[in-house]
Amino acid sequence: MSKTHKPLNFLEQIIEQDLKNGLPQKKLRFRFPPEPNGYLHIGHTKAIGISFGLGETYNAPVNLRFDDTNPTKEDQEYVDAIKEDISWLGYKWEKEVYSSDYFEQLYIWALQMIKDGKAYVDSQSSEAMAVQKGTPTQPGQNSPFRNRSVDENLALFEQMKNGEFKEGTHVLRAKIDMKHVNMLMRDPLMYRILHADHHRTGATWCIYPMYDWAHGESDYLEQISHSLCSLEFKPHRDLYDWFKNIVYNYKKDSLPLIPKQREFARLNLSFTIMSKRKLLKLVEDKVVSGWDDPRMPTISGLRRRGYTPTSIRNFVEKVGVAKRDNVIDVSLLEFCVREDLNKKAARIMAVLDPVKLVIQNYPEDKEEWLEAENNPEDEAAGTRTVPFSKNLYIERDDFKEEANNKYFRLSLGKEVRLKNAFIIKAERVVKDKNGTILEIHCSYDPNSLSGSGTPESLRKVKGTLHWVSIKHALKVEVREYDRLFLHEAPDSQTEDFSTFVNPDSLKIRTGFVEPHIKDARVGTQFQFQRIGYFNVDKDTSATHLVFNKTVGLRDTWAKKEPKKTQPHNSHTTSQPPKRNAIDVIKQLGKKYTNLPEVKQKKVKLEILALAKEVSYEDLEPLFNTAAKKVGTRIAVALALQVLLENGLEKNDQINVFITSATEDEHPLLSEIAKQI
């Protein structure tokens, strides 16, 4: 029986019922059957997770079977990539098998079906067969070759096998019912002629089984108990069962278990193409650099971008198992990798759009090595030392000459803290002839070193900035990836999907990072503080470090969507006074926990947008909101997250609120607090 304490999904319910009805647990066996004609993508992870997950739940074996029945599109490269992807996800298969392992047995069964009058050789053209097959509302017509004699069919089929005919001249069809309401049952093809070498069997065969014939019979030969597939195969179930019952009568003494096909909703992801054919076109047209381009939804592309096996498996678990197709927002996948990397990734400081900051009263020849946490979420991660000197880089966006009280970063005459370092005050700027700021000149308080315990170090300032020492900085290449498609559903429009390709899906920048990571290995993941998560790319060399941006610290895509144009109203009416942003946030929070998930997401985006108009003074009184008002506390946590990302420095009141929220029993509040 299942060991899980969660509610059973409908597939688990089917299995539990079968066990209750007498199926021995030792007879449970599952399989994942990819066709090796491309790389696996994020859509496949659901099928992988279901089959291998059930294997783990029930301690049952899982076969990895390659349905390799089309030699013109399949390749050993894809076989190797699929095995690597599944292993990387952390799954293990019991047997590695191939449909081509069963070609001889399938051929023998086909001969027997011809002898039993259940199959025949059709010599019509494919166009003629398509016409006589009818439509969903009109019955088909029998082929003029349907009543060939057994001997003639056997002779023709043997000649097909021996390569005596050209491709397209003959096919073998099952003899079922040309008037069947399910068109797949109207004498489906079993074999076609292909003069093509197979990646495993070479030139041994000139006929190859069709998927519907090979797939179910492979399940039967392997004694798969539950053949689980996506919903598009539901119409195929009639044919699956028909073929299965035929061969069961041929082999029931030695193969007593009859597989059961059941279907689940496939994984569809917004802003994503799931067709291997279309993904191949992106590769062939050089829209992307290859199957493992970090913009691709392939598992290898996600791995190169910096996604982790844990994040993908958590994503699949959150999506769940459904009976109806739906589209999952890609932001859920991004949330899962943020959640995982927040726990694992070492923090470093990196500046991607640098402007020079000069500390006027810091000695020219002095440098200090300051202590910094590697990961506040992991005590075992320890600390590192960071070099500090007179001349630093900070982000250009972290400075404004003049700013209001909602801007927590550096401006003239204002103070901020440099993370892990000192409090500085901006004094003046140096500009070029076009007015572009070249240098920001500051003074620093030498007694304000973070963590030193001096009165000066305990002084509260509202902003904290990251930085790197120019003298010590390591120059790196940073590849910032955005979504590959601009349309939420690029595959369901009347235009060609390629018209929705995002021309700005890749931006290459030069950045500067802490020097201690110069020997970072390919695949190492870091959080660039206040920016996002980054992964060392395989293009890295001994002298050139390359980073891929995995994901930002929070979802910024919603900000890019154009606002809907409001209808023009020629009649002017008096408008009610605009409410304060903090009041709207409180109102939105009141009913947050009672909203459905889709509505929660919309309200969350509203709160994040409104938080940009909120000051710390507006928000701080809400830290003491009663514990039972969870929705309001969630809204406060979301707004606080925005303020901190914009440079607000944590203080005792903030830390107390975050600790309390993290320990709250409500999972939504706890989850948000853990990300702050």
PDB file of all heavy atoms in Angstrom, residues 28 32 180 184 253 401 407 412 444 491 513 550 636 676:
ATOM      1  N   LEU A  28       3.268  -5.096  -9.558  1.00  0.00           N
ATOM      2  CA  LEU A  28       3.282  -3.707 -10.010  1.00  0.00           C
ATOM      3  C   LEU A  28       4.572  -3.430 -10.777  1.00  0.00           C
ATOM      4  O   LEU A  28       5.665  -3.764 -10.327  1.00  0.00           O
ATOM      5  CB  LEU A  28       3.180  -2.751  -8.822  1.00  0.00           C
ATOM      6  CG  LEU A  28       1.833  -2.659  -8.102  1.00  0.00           C
ATOM      7  CD1 LEU A  28       1.937  -1.701  -6.934  1.00  0.00           C
ATOM      8  CD2 LEU A  28       0.738  -2.207  -9.058  1.00  0.00           C
ATOM      9  N   PHE A  32       8.573   4.384 -18.304  1.00  0.00           N
ATOM     10  CA  PHE A  32       8.601   5.678 -18.976  1.00  0.00           C
ATOM     11  C   PHE A  32       9.099   5.418 -20.382  1.00  0.00           C
ATOM     12  O   PHE A  32      10.231   4.952 -20.560  1.00  0.00           O
ATOM     13  CB  PHE A  32       9.516   6.663 -18.251  1.00  0.00           C
ATOM     14  CG  PHE A  32       9.653   7.971 -18.988  1.00  0.00           C
ATOM     15  CD1 PHE A  32       8.556   8.784 -19.199  1.00  0.00           C
ATOM     16  CD2 PHE A  32      10.882   8.375 -19.489  1.00  0.00           C
ATOM     17  CE1 PHE A  32       8.671   9.973 -19.895  1.00  0.00           C
ATOM     18  CE2 PHE A  32      11.007   9.567 -20.189  1.00  0.00           C
ATOM     19  CZ  PHE A  32       9.900  10.367 -20.388  1.00  0.00           C
ATOM     20  N   HIS A 180     -16.387   1.985 -37.381  1.00  0.00           N
ATOM     21  CA  HIS A 180     -16.260   2.238 -35.933  1.00  0.00           C
ATOM     22  C   HIS A 180     -16.315   3.743 -35.655  1.00  0.00           C
ATOM     23  O   HIS A 180     -15.772   4.551 -36.405  1.00  0.00           O
ATOM     24  CB  HIS A 180     -14.938   1.661 -35.416  1.00  0.00           C
ATOM     25  CG  HIS A 180     -14.917   1.426 -33.945  1.00  0.00           C
ATOM     26  ND1 HIS A 180     -14.852   2.451 -33.026  1.00  0.00           N
ATOM     27  CD2 HIS A 180     -14.952   0.274 -33.216  1.00  0.00           C
ATOM     28  CE1 HIS A 180     -14.839   1.949 -31.797  1.00  0.00           C
ATOM     29  NE2 HIS A 180     -14.903   0.623 -31.886  1.00  0.00           N
ATOM     30  N   LEU A 184      -9.661   5.725 -35.069  1.00  0.00           N
ATOM     31  CA  LEU A 184      -8.421   4.970 -34.893  1.00  0.00           C
ATOM     32  C   LEU A 184      -8.644   3.469 -35.021  1.00  0.00           C
ATOM     33  O   LEU A 184      -7.690   2.712 -35.247  1.00  0.00           O
ATOM     34  CB  LEU A 184      -7.811   5.282 -33.521  1.00  0.00           C
ATOM     35  CG  LEU A 184      -7.298   6.714 -33.326  1.00  0.00           C
ATOM     36  CD1 LEU A 184      -6.923   6.949 -31.868  1.00  0.00           C
ATOM     37  CD2 LEU A 184      -6.108   6.991 -34.225  1.00  0.00           C
ATOM     38  N   ASP A 253      -0.247 -17.989 -21.386  1.00  0.00           N
ATOM     39  CA  ASP A 253       0.325 -18.964 -20.455  1.00  0.00           C
ATOM     40  C   ASP A 253       1.632 -18.466 -19.835  1.00  0.00           C
ATOM     41  O   ASP A 253       1.891 -18.690 -18.647  1.00  0.00           O
ATOM     42  CB  ASP A 253       0.560 -20.301 -21.166  1.00  0.00           C
ATOM     43  CG  ASP A 253      -0.747 -20.993 -21.532  1.00  0.00           C
ATOM     44  OD1 ASP A 253      -1.773 -20.672 -20.898  1.00  0.00           O
ATOM     45  OD2 ASP A 253      -0.743 -21.822 -22.465  1.00  0.00           O
ATOM     46  N   GLU A 401      20.863  61.574  -7.783  1.00  0.00           N
ATOM     47  CA  GLU A 401      21.334  62.836  -7.199  1.00  0.00           C
ATOM     48  C   GLU A 401      20.320  63.378  -6.204  1.00  0.00           C
ATOM     49  O   GLU A 401      20.671  63.868  -5.135  1.00  0.00           O
ATOM     50  CB  GLU A 401      21.596  63.855  -8.310  1.00  0.00           C
ATOM     51  CG  GLU A 401      22.832  63.550  -9.138  1.00  0.00           C
ATOM     52  CD  GLU A 401      23.145  64.659 -10.109  1.00  0.00           C
ATOM     53  OE1 GLU A 401      23.710  65.696  -9.664  1.00  0.00           O
ATOM     54  OE2 GLU A 401      22.819  64.510 -11.303  1.00  0.00           O
ATOM     55  N   TYR A 407      12.908  56.378  -1.538  1.00  0.00           N
ATOM     56  CA  TYR A 407      14.109  55.849  -2.195  1.00  0.00           C
ATOM     57  C   TYR A 407      15.130  55.542  -1.104  1.00  0.00           C
ATOM     58  O   TYR A 407      15.606  56.442  -0.407  1.00  0.00           O
ATOM     59  CB  TYR A 407      14.662  56.883  -3.180  1.00  0.00           C
ATOM     60  CG  TYR A 407      15.834  56.390  -4.000  1.00  0.00           C
ATOM     61  CD1 TYR A 407      15.649  55.532  -5.078  1.00  0.00           C
ATOM     62  CD2 TYR A 407      17.131  56.795  -3.699  1.00  0.00           C
ATOM     63  CE1 TYR A 407      16.720  55.098  -5.840  1.00  0.00           C
ATOM     64  CE2 TYR A 407      18.212  56.361  -4.454  1.00  0.00           C
ATOM     65  CZ  TYR A 407      17.994  55.512  -5.525  1.00  0.00           C
ATOM     66  OH  TYR A 407      19.050  55.078  -6.280  1.00  0.00           O
ATOM     67  N   LEU A 412      22.575  62.298  -2.954  1.00  0.00           N
ATOM     68  CA  LEU A 412      23.457  63.340  -2.416  1.00  0.00           C
ATOM     69  C   LEU A 412      22.983  63.803  -1.037  1.00  0.00           C
ATOM     70  O   LEU A 412      21.796  64.084  -0.828  1.00  0.00           O
ATOM     71  CB  LEU A 412      23.511  64.529  -3.372  1.00  0.00           C
ATOM     72  CG  LEU A 412      24.312  64.310  -4.659  1.00  0.00           C
ATOM     73  CD1 LEU A 412      24.233  65.534  -5.558  1.00  0.00           C
ATOM     74  CD2 LEU A 412      25.774  63.961  -4.339  1.00  0.00           C
ATOM     75  N   TYR A 444      33.227  58.268   4.399  1.00  0.00           N
ATOM     76  CA  TYR A 444      32.788  57.117   5.185  1.00  0.00           C
ATOM     77  C   TYR A 444      33.108  57.338   6.648  1.00  0.00           C
ATOM     78  O   TYR A 444      33.993  58.117   7.008  1.00  0.00           O
ATOM     79  CB  TYR A 444      33.434  55.843   4.647  1.00  0.00           C
ATOM     80  CG  TYR A 444      34.753  55.450   5.285  1.00  0.00           C
ATOM     81  CD1 TYR A 444      34.861  54.285   6.045  1.00  0.00           C
ATOM     82  CD2 TYR A 444      35.899  56.233   5.130  1.00  0.00           C
ATOM     83  CE1 TYR A 444      36.069  53.915   6.619  1.00  0.00           C
ATOM     84  CE2 TYR A 444      37.115  55.871   5.688  1.00  0.00           C
ATOM     85  CZ  TYR A 444      37.197  54.701   6.436  1.00  0.00           C
ATOM     86  OH  TYR A 444      38.390  54.332   7.004  1.00  0.00           O
ATOM     87  N   ASP A 491       1.944  28.645 -29.067  1.00  0.00           N
ATOM     88  CA  ASP A 491       1.652  27.481 -29.908  1.00  0.00           C
ATOM     89  C   ASP A 491       0.187  27.366 -30.295  1.00  0.00           C
ATOM     90  O   ASP A 491      -0.189  26.474 -31.042  1.00  0.00           O
ATOM     91  CB  ASP A 491       2.069  26.207 -29.172  1.00  0.00           C
ATOM     92  CG  ASP A 491       2.466  25.101 -30.141  1.00  0.00           C
ATOM     93  OD1 ASP A 491       2.625  25.404 -31.331  1.00  0.00           O
ATOM     94  OD2 ASP A 491       2.608  23.950 -29.704  1.00  0.00           O
ATOM     95  N   VAL A 513      32.714  40.818 -10.052  1.00  0.00           N
ATOM     96  CA  VAL A 513      32.332  40.016  -8.889  1.00  0.00           C
ATOM     97  C   VAL A 513      33.502  39.908  -7.919  1.00  0.00           C
ATOM     98  O   VAL A 513      34.632  40.285  -8.229  1.00  0.00           O
ATOM     99  CB  VAL A 513      31.889  38.599  -9.323  1.00  0.00           C
ATOM    100  CG1 VAL A 513      30.711  38.661 -10.277  1.00  0.00           C
ATOM    101  CG2 VAL A 513      33.049  37.829  -9.955  1.00  0.00           C
ATOM    102  N   THR A 550      19.838  32.457 -13.843  1.00  0.00           N
ATOM    103  CA  THR A 550      18.801  31.443 -13.692  1.00  0.00           C
ATOM    104  C   THR A 550      17.447  32.099 -13.538  1.00  0.00           C
ATOM    105  O   THR A 550      16.501  31.826 -14.291  1.00  0.00           O
ATOM    106  CB  THR A 550      19.084  30.560 -12.463  1.00  0.00           C
ATOM    107  OG1 THR A 550      20.408  30.028 -12.567  1.00  0.00           O
ATOM    108  CG2 THR A 550      18.086  29.426 -12.356  1.00  0.00           C
ATOM    109  N   VAL A 636       1.743  42.588   4.355  1.00  0.00           N
ATOM    110  CA  VAL A 636       2.871  43.324   4.939  1.00  0.00           C
ATOM    111  C   VAL A 636       4.193  42.680   4.527  1.00  0.00           C
ATOM    112  O   VAL A 636       5.158  43.373   4.161  1.00  0.00           O
ATOM    113  CB  VAL A 636       2.749  43.368   6.478  1.00  0.00           C
ATOM    114  CG1 VAL A 636       4.003  43.963   7.104  1.00  0.00           C
ATOM    115  CG2 VAL A 636       1.517  44.160   6.890  1.00  0.00           C
ATOM    116  N   ILE A 676      12.329  36.313   2.274  1.00  0.00           N
ATOM    117  CA  ILE A 676      12.788  37.693   2.505  1.00  0.00           C
ATOM    118  C   ILE A 676      14.248  37.683   2.974  1.00  0.00           C
ATOM    119  O   ILE A 676      14.582  36.979   3.900  1.00  0.00           O
ATOM    120  CB  ILE A 676      11.900  38.392   3.553  1.00  0.00           C
ATOM    121  CG1 ILE A 676      10.458  38.487   3.037  1.00  0.00           C
ATOM    122  CG2 ILE A 676      12.443  39.769   3.873  1.00  0.00           C
ATOM    123  CD1 ILE A 676       9.501  39.105   4.020  1.00  0.00           C
TER     124      ILE A 676
END
